[in-house]
Amino acid sequence: MTTAKTACILCSRNCGLEIDVVDGHLKKIRGDAAHPSSKGYLCNKAARLDYYQNHADRLTHPLKRQPDGSFVRVSWDQALGDIAQRLTAIRDTHGGDAFAFVGGGGQGNHLGGAYGRQLLSAMKSRFVYSSLAQEKTGDFWVNGRLFGAQNCHPMEDVEHADYVVFIGANPYQSHGIVNARDVLRDIKNDPNRTMVVIDPRRTETANQADIHLQLRPGTDAFLLLAMLSIIVRESLHDQAFIDAHCTGFEQVKAELLAVPVADYATRADVPLADVEGVARGFAAAKRGCVRVDLGTQQTLHTTLNAYLEKLLYLVTGNFGQSGSNNLHTAFLPLIGNTDETRSKPGRSLKLTAFHKMMPIGGMYPPNILPDEILKAGEKRIRAVVCDSSNPMLTYPDSSAQEEAFRALDLLVVVDIAMTETARLAHYVLPAASQFEKLEATGFTLEFPKNYFHLRHPIAQPMGEAMPEPEIYTRLLETMGVIPKKFPLLIAMARNEPGITGHLGYMTALGLTLSRKKRWAPYGASIMYRTLGQTLRHAAVAPMLPIAMAYAKEHAVAVRRAGHKGTSLTRGANLFRAIIQGESGAVISRHEHSEMWSLLKTPDQRVHLHVPEMVEAIRVLSKEVPATDAFPFVLMAGERRSYNANQIFRDPAWRKVDKQGALRIHPDDASALSLANGDMAQCKTERGSLEVVVEIDDALRRGVVTLPHGYGVSFQNSKPIGPPVNRLTATSHCEPFSRTPFHKYVPAAISKLNAI
């Protein structure tokens, strides 16, 4: 047995873990008290991570699909050789737009992203489709307008707030905030603090809240506008803060004053007195913050919702201080900034072939992917590399995704398991698990103190599985994009004295890439093959220039975190601290007054007036409530005690809710003659599923829920639990961002036979 430190990979918090490893199995799992953020915290899901690490669907060698759909084992050289030849032929014949990179990463699996996305340059493509782009792109777009860049991302300091508003968020189950259950308990037990939950369901978080506004699904924008209007009507906004830090308030104020408050409260089906109480309470708070999640980001008016929740904390001055919302630094960049307003004439951002969409944050939404494969004619996507993702279950409209993926000329899946998507692939390449390789997360979203956790492998890869840096570097070499050897850079890396902090190597690398500009997009793999050979783990090599850039941009905060040195050596010292920090390393300590330097607007002010959102507010006032043939609203993808992201395949990991029941209000169940355990049919415009019924009075009438993370065909078995995206449609989404309306799916429920 060995005891090793690592982190959880089930949600964005990536809490630190200490694990007893026995013969490759993760035995006793406990929280790591030395972790800079989680400090020993652990939830029930992390304790069952061996079901991810060791299960019967693990891949151990490369596979090639045969004409009859079966797979045969092939060597790495055979697989990469054929993949390289076919990718090159598709690029040379049809151009770069014929290729897309799908997925990449997953929770906490981000280090390989720098390597995998090099394929975009090799293929002369720009198409990246990911889960983030079906969850957060409306939010990223609003960030770009308000703060100057789509990767200017606010976080919420819930643990220090005296008034917290959770909108469409259930941290008790989904976490997303520091040590969620402990923090929620602390707020609940403190009479001087207030917790408000805005959610159509009485969630576990709502059960602990002081106030629960149980609004009608899809009416978040109406409720938020009513609250904002009350604040400005009663002059509860922070005019001094706005004058000091914002522009455009007067235009926004005029729109808010025109909001029919009582009508909008009625539209949301929330008592007006409760709306007024929350608006006044939040405006009066000394330290207030807002936390949102998919409940408001995957429902009607998703981009407008993102704008309004930000206005709520901005106009009340709850920004840039302890206990409020704040911008934060980022060590590993998760997204880019593809703001179309910054495009120059003649150099506008390119559109997709069929939907004519521009990227947001450098990503395209999965909702449009089937059409870009099936309906774009000669400009269609023909080849896909799918990395650490299972679109057949996790992307909207599984039937459409399956039809599209089957139509590809080439589908390559890089994953640790034989997923539903892998079963459609021409080649399946086995990746090492997150506990078998060097890994890290880009979800370092803290302020004023930020940290980074580089996780070292704690088990050996199974069979012939390899980490993604090796897979993609070999593929690029086989494609002839980069040479296999760089003797001068290797010599420099090996012979340079340690005291220089690799400055000589970095200078040599810069000169090499300036002379061979075609190699510049592949710096990650070049560093992996050169500097990486002198390090304990080669994959960490590209983090050296990242650390140097971070230390330069945030020099004072990095010094404050204890990383000494001159302007030339501080970045290398930070790099070494990250490598050596088993539990993670604090990389910067800012003061709250320094947050304003993180704004990317030219005047370093928040630009409250966003013309597109003002127009959306005006359009909302004319919106007529939908009348639908489907009497229920299905909130798809509910988070529960025993579902997580899709990496858990063995259904044995679940102690309860093994069938992923459909939850329904008692009155609705009675009207349909349904009892607990009965079988029912859940039908939408796109499809239908047979589901097990669970009666739950925490729901509003007319609302039903189904969880995500089910429907896996473990060991080719019949899917266990609802593959919920059989019910969702690619067309059921916001027209602007193409974010799916998973939390507002019209549905019909009918009784089948009881079990």
Side-chain angles (χ1 to χ4, degrees), residues 123-425:
M123 292 297 293
K124 301 179 181 178
S125 175
R126 64 191 181 281
F127 292 135
V128 177
Y129 293 84
S130 76
S131 294
L132 266 182
Q134 68 175 358
E135 298 175 348
K136 308 290 185 182
T137 43
D139 189 80
F140 297 154
W141 183 87
V142 171
N143 290 342
R145 290 295 192 271
L146 290 173
F147 308 124
Q150 291 167 0
N151 49 17
C152 259
H153 180 263
M155 52 76 68
E156 54 286 325
D157 187 7
V158 173
E159 59 268 37
H160 298 114
D162 57 36
Y163 202 109
V164 183
V165 179
F166 294 113
I167 311 175
N170 182 18
Y172 187 89
Q173 295 292 16
S174 63
H175 300 279
I177 63 173
V178 174
N179 300 0
R181 295 184 180 182
D182 290 351
V183 169
L184 293 176
R185 182 197 61 230
D186 291 344
I187 298 173
K188 176 186 176 182
N189 293 335
D190 189 336
N192 297 315
R193 303 173 76 183
T194 301
M195 187 194 315
V196 176
V197 170
I198 300 174
D199 200 295
R201 188 171 77 87
R202 192 176 69 251
T203 63
E204 292 85 352
T205 305
N207 279 331
Q208 300 189 54
D210 300 282
I211 303 168
H212 176 207
L213 304 185
Q214 195 169 9
L215 77 170
R216 181 180 287 116
T219 62
D220 304 74
F222 293 96
L223 180 59
L224 289 170
L225 278 168
M227 291 171 58
L228 284 162
S229 185
I230 292 165
I231 289 169
V232 297
R233 284 170 186 266
E234 299 182 8
S235 298
L236 302 176
H237 54 280
D238 190 335
Q239 191 65 53
F241 171 89
I242 292 168
D243 291 342
H245 298 294
C246 304
T247 66
F249 175 66
E250 290 306 315
Q251 296 100 314
V252 175
K253 180 180 178 181
E255 298 299 327
L256 296 179
L257 289 173
V259 167
V261 174
D263 288 349
Y264 278 17
T266 300
R267 183 73 174 260
D269 196 25
V270 175
L272 178 59
D274 292 348
V275 179
E276 292 172 334
V278 172
R280 293 164 183 160
F282 186 75
K286 292 182 179 178
R287 299 186 310 277
C289 73
V290 179
R291 164 74 184 176
V292 302
D293 208 341
L294 299 185
T296 186
Q297 292 168 333
Q298 289 191 329
T299 190
L300 308 183
H301 318 114
T302 173
T303 303
L304 179 58
N305 293 341
Y307 177 62
L308 297 176
E309 57 96 357
K310 290 173 174 56
L311 283 186
L312 186 60
Y313 58 74
L314 288 168
V315 302
T316 55
N318 286 298
F319 192 59
Q321 64 178 7
S322 177
S324 73
N325 293 78
N326 294 277
L327 300 178
H328 61 84
T329 65
F331 189 74
L332 284 186
L334 273 177
I335 67 167
N337 176 41
T338 43
D339 185 350
E340 70 275 12
T341 64
R342 294 177 180 269
S343 301
K344 297 179 181 179
R347 296 178 57 191
S348 61
L349 297 171
K350 293 182 179 180
L351 307 176
T352 54
F354 186 77
H355 286 277
K356 308 301 181 187
M357 280 199 69
M358 291 182 177
I360 298 174
M363 302 172 291
Y364 293 89
N367 274 63
I368 72 170
L369 182 55
D371 286 347
E372 297 297 327
I373 295 172
L374 296 171
K375 298 182 180 180
E378 286 301 310
K379 294 184 178 181
R380 67 186 181 274
I381 293 171
R382 300 167 186 265
V384 162
V385 170
C386 180
D387 183 311
S388 306
S389 182
N390 190 10
M392 293 309 103
L393 287 184
T394 61
Y395 285 2
D397 199 337
S398 295
S399 297
Q401 301 288 349
E402 182 175 347
E403 180 186 0
F405 275 59
R406 287 188 184 278
L408 291 166
D409 295 350
L410 178 64
L411 172 60
V412 178
V413 169
V414 180
D415 213 315
I416 79 160
M418 195 62 170
T419 65
E420 287 67 23
T421 306
R423 294 185 187 122
L424 304 179

Side-chain angles (χ1 to χ4, degrees), residues 9-25:
I9 55 177
L10 297 177
C11 84
S12 61
R13 291 309 313 174
N14 299 111
C15 297
L17 302 178
E18 194 171 75
I19 301 179
D20 293 340
V21 184
V22 181
D23 296 328
H25 283 269

Side-chain angles (χ1 to χ4, degrees), residues 632 664-674 695-697 699-702:
F632 286 88
I664 187 170
H665 189 275
D667 293 346
D668 290 327
S670 177
L672 295 169
S673 300
L674 288 169
I695 297 174
D696 185 358
D697 66 2
L699 297 172
R700 287 177 58 102
R701 289 206 62 181

